[in-house]
Amino acid sequence: MTWDDLDAHLDRVPGTVSAYVGRLDAPPTWTRHPDAGHYAASTMKVAVLAALHRAAEAGTLALDAPVPVVNDFASAQPGAPRFACAQHYDNDDAVWDRLGGTASLRWLADRMIVRSSNLATNLVLGHVGLPAVAEVWALAGARTSVTGRGIEDFAAREAGITNTVTAADLAALLGALATGASAPGQIASPAACTTMLDVLLAQEHREDLAAGLPEGTRIAHKNGWVRGVRHGAGVVLPDDAPPYLIAVCTTTDLDSGDDVEDDACLLLAHVSAQVWAARHRL
């Protein structure tokens, strides 16, 4: 396979497929529409995770202090009614089981990543705030990506407030966490970055990028999907080659869900497998 071959394969996919592949702290080996904007889906949760750990290191939030588990959130659209999450649209009943009780921000952040819980995301986001997430994107060197609202904030969505990512920006954010630094500034301490990577390594949704890797290969990653959208971004840690970044964003007509047989999942797994095969040449 050559990168031109992979591009030719992706050219046949209806819609937009973006990608960024390369070593840490090095120019990319291969990109495809790396700055094209896509609806973020759950990939924005990585920036929320980083904002939480920044706040914890600054002493403004305590990771292990209990916070109320509620399902009532302020909209990002000024003057709009408060909103709530729908349990059937979530991926983690464990968070809902604590509704009316308490949980630590650390636990909620873990569930936000490893199970992609929307309720946990909005709870963490409510404590860190949207400006703190914007600061994370800026520190990572992101040029386009924006986290403008919480999950299921439909009033904000109707007002044009949305969450957008690019493959290049997701790679920049994951790369910053993997190296413990970023180009314009420091996102968090090396110790905090290691903690965040450990959470991303524990990701339980492994039906796209991870599905294209040999069994047991370590990948610190986050994916996201809604109808017509499937993204995956992570740091692959081979035993026989240096770590590398891979981010693939798709806005297409392909079936997309949480099933390993979905066409969009198969597409991301195919790209991941081709990059793995070229890992020594990145």
Side-chain angles (χ1 to χ4, degrees):
M1 179 219 73
T2 67
W3 302 115
D4 287 342
D5 293 335
L6 188 51
D7 267 318
H9 175 77
L10 297 177
D11 283 342
R12 296 191 290 272
V13 177
T16 302
V17 180
S18 303
Y20 181 108
V21 170
R23 300 266 186 239
L24 302 178
D25 287 335
T29 301
W30 172 66
T31 62
R32 176 186 172 86
H33 310 311
D35 298 316
H38 299 260
Y39 175 64
S42 290
T43 58
M44 50 77 78
K45 296 172 183 177
V46 180
V48 177
L49 177 70
L52 172 63
H53 280 269
R54 278 181 59 78
E57 291 201 308
T60 57
L61 290 175
L63 289 176
D64 294 312
V67 299
V69 179
V70 299
N71 187 19
D72 178 68
F73 306 103
S75 173
Q77 170 64 12
R82 297 179 71 84
F83 71 97
C85 293
Q87 185 170 3
H88 73 271
Y89 190 60
D90 209 333
N91 298 294
D92 189 11
D93 288 338
V95 181
W96 291 85
D97 289 344
R98 297 201 184 192
L99 200 60
T102 63
S104 72
L105 287 170
R106 186 192 303 276
W107 184 82
L108 290 168
D110 285 355
R111 306 308 295 182
M112 172 179 72
I113 298 297
V114 302
R115 290 300 307 161
S116 204
S117 169
N118 294 334
L119 179 58
T121 301
N122 284 348
L123 288 164
V124 175
L125 184 58
H127 285 275
V128 302
L130 290 167
V133 181
E135 185 176 11
V136 164
W137 283 118
L139 287 170
R143 292 180 289 180
T144 303
S145 297
V146 173
T147 302
R149 60 173 174 83
I151 308 294
E152 298 178 71
D153 184 353
F154 299 128
R157 184 185 69 182
E158 292 303 313
I161 302 170
T162 191
N163 301 325
T164 304
V165 294
T166 70
D169 289 348
L170 285 170
L173 178 57
L174 270 295
L177 298 185
T179 60
S182 58
Q186 190 87 3
I187 286 182
S189 70
C193 288
T194 297
T195 298
M196 287 185 269
L197 284 180
D198 286 342
V199 175
L200 292 162
L201 281 164
Q203 170 67 249
E204 294 178 8
H205 291 285
R206 301 180 61 83
E207 59 273 2
D208 42 52
L209 293 183
L213 301 173
E215 186 70 26
T217 302
R218 294 188 302 152
I219 176 172
H221 69 121
K222 184 72 191 79
N223 39 26
W225 62 93
V226 296
R227 183 180 298 275
V229 167
R230 165 64 70 163
H231 310 322
V235 183
V236 180
L237 303 162
D239 291 333
D240 62 348
Y244 63 86
L245 293 162
I246 178 170
V248 184
C249 299
T250 71
T251 302
T252 69
D253 295 331
L254 299 175
D255 290 337
S256 180
D258 56 1
D259 190 324
V260 73
E261 296 301 324
D262 285 338
D263 290 342
C265 288
L266 291 171
L267 179 67
L268 264 67
H270 173 75
V271 174
S272 183
Q274 297 304 309
V275 175
W276 172 265
R279 66 192 181 281
H280 296 294
R281 306 192 304 275
L282 297 179

